[in-house]
Amino acid sequence: MINDTTPYLYPFSIEYNILIVGIWILLWENIGRMDRHTHLPSVEMTYEDDNTKGISSNLIIYVDCHSSNRGLFAGLLMTVATIISIILFFIFTANDATKQHGLQVNGFSELIIHVIMIAVAILAFLAIKNLDLIKHGISNVDDLLLYICLPCIFLYAVFSMVPAFTYGKPLFVAVSIVQVVQAVIQTALIADGLRRCANSSNLAAKKPGRELITFLVVANVALWLLETFEIKSEEGNYYKYKFYGKETWTLLSHMTLPLALFYRFHSSVCLVDIWKAGYEAEAEH
């Protein structure tokens, strides 16, 4: 059981350390910045006990979920379809006679998800450009964590494309290409969206592109699940083992895959930040 679960647990240790680096950078940026040391406003609460009336609490946070329902519903549908794809992949690859069907399920699932996410990211980019630009500077930590992942996504796509092209697997060549295209477009969307806000009441009410951002949040989590469970499986790496050898491919994948998986996780976090702060008025500094 340890040997079977180790490949899936290994990327989490890498992702954890990358997140810790980001947190230390944020701490370093904010030390001595008294203007950023603000607290949540207290909210007056009424309790059933008469003796506790009037007690204020700063542990309650209100989140406006307006213009998110359809995006959330579509994202959940994609997540369910992704889970079904993962189940079918393991069922088919458990039998040598149906192993090819499992690989095709894996390839078509990734291809369809990436194509849909590319279309949604482009539409979201066109929608959020109507928002106002933030006048004050923001932290570049999120950008840094995304940018350091992009070279690993490019390298992993190239390393995966070579054996697919050699053994005549156009489906997986297409998957590698759309992985890179989707990552580039989504990174541009996030970099722009983190610098947007809604200073006017009209934009705050309309919330352009919020449903699309909601969908991308859930879709990135679904894609992270798909890549974690299917790419790390031995059956999913059959052609790569055959082309590179198991030891060489293990080395190449361990150099690139953890950051490629981290990109999906961190992208969802950045998109949540856009979903929350991008449709509010710019905070005063």
Side-chain angles (χ1 to χ4, degrees):
M1 183 178 66
I2 294 175
N3 292 332
D4 291 338
T5 57
T6 296
Y8 301 101
L9 299 178
Y10 167 74
F12 290 99
S13 61
I14 306 297
E15 295 172 8
Y16 172 80
N17 285 281
I18 297 173
L19 286 174
I20 292 299
V21 171
I23 291 174
W24 282 118
I25 294 175
L26 286 174
L27 291 173
W28 178 79
E29 284 185 343
N30 286 277
I31 290 177
R33 294 294 301 273
M34 298 302 296
D35 57 320
R36 295 185 180 182
H37 295 174
T38 58
H39 300 278
L40 291 173
S42 298
V43 179
E44 294 293 332
M45 296 293 297
T46 302
Y47 298 90
E48 294 183 359
D49 189 357
D50 293 337
N51 296 326
T52 59
K53 286 184 178 180
I55 294 179
S56 61
S57 173
N58 62 351
L59 299 178
I60 299 176
I61 302 174
Y62 291 97
V63 179
D64 182 11
C65 297
H66 179 62
S67 299
S68 301
N69 294 335
R70 287 184 295 183
L72 179 61
F73 181 73
L76 291 177
L77 283 180
M78 176 171 285
T79 302
V80 172
T82 302
I83 294 174
I84 294 175
S85 168
I86 295 172
I87 294 173
L88 291 176
F89 171 77
F90 283 105
I91 290 176
F92 285 137
T93 54
N95 190 342
D96 291 336
T98 58
K99 182 178 292 186
Q100 294 299 322
H101 297 296
L103 295 176
Q104 289 180 352
V105 168
N106 176 23
F108 279 113
S109 299
E110 282 197 70
L111 183 63
I112 292 172
I113 292 175
H114 279 102
V115 169
I116 293 175
M117 291 178 66
I118 288 173
V120 173
I122 293 174
L123 293 175
F125 191 87
L126 296 175
I128 66 172
K129 72 176 184 179
N130 297 313
L131 297 174
D132 302 317
L133 288 173
I134 295 177
K135 297 179 182 179
H136 300 87
I138 65 171
S139 174
N140 294 319
V141 175
D142 289 328
D143 294 336
L144 177 63
L145 293 178
L146 289 176
Y147 294 156
I148 63 175
C149 295
L150 287 179
C152 292
I153 294 177
F154 297 156
L155 290 174
Y156 184 82
V158 172
F159 293 152
S160 302
M161 190 186 306
V162 172
F165 184 80
T166 302
Y167 294 113
K169 301 295 179 181
L171 173 61
F172 295 100
V173 173
V175 169
S176 298
I177 294 174
V178 296
Q179 281 179 344
V180 174
V181 174
Q182 196 279 329
V184 171
I185 295 176
Q186 182 170 273
T187 303
L189 168 67
I190 293 174
D192 183 69
L194 290 174
R195 291 161 176 81
R196 298 280 182 175
C197 63
N199 288 327
S200 66
S201 58
N202 185 33
L203 289 174
K206 288 185 176 181
K207 294 179 172 55
R210 201 184 200 197
E211 290 183 341
L212 301 173
I213 297 295
T214 305
F215 174 82
L216 288 175
V217 171
V218 185
N220 272 279
V221 175
L223 194 57
W224 175 74
L225 288 173
L226 181 69
E227 292 178 346
T228 298
F229 284 98
E230 293 188 1
I231 292 180
K232 293 300 291 183
S233 67
E234 186 172 353
E235 291 80 8
N237 294 318
Y238 172 74
Y239 291 107
K240 299 161 190 173
Y241 287 158
K242 185 178 179 181
F243 183 83
Y244 293 106
K246 190 169 185 178
E247 292 78 11
T248 303
W249 176 246
T250 300
L251 177 63
L252 294 175
S253 62
H254 280 197
M255 290 171 55
T256 57
L257 188 56
L259 283 175
L261 294 176
F262 174 78
Y263 175 83
R264 296 297 166 193
F265 174 80
H266 189 61
S267 292
S268 63
V269 175
C270 294
L271 289 166
V272 169
D273 192 16
I274 297 173
W275 181 90
K276 173 69 171 60
Y279 300 96
E280 298 176 351
E282 181 179 0
E284 296 182 0
H285 291 268

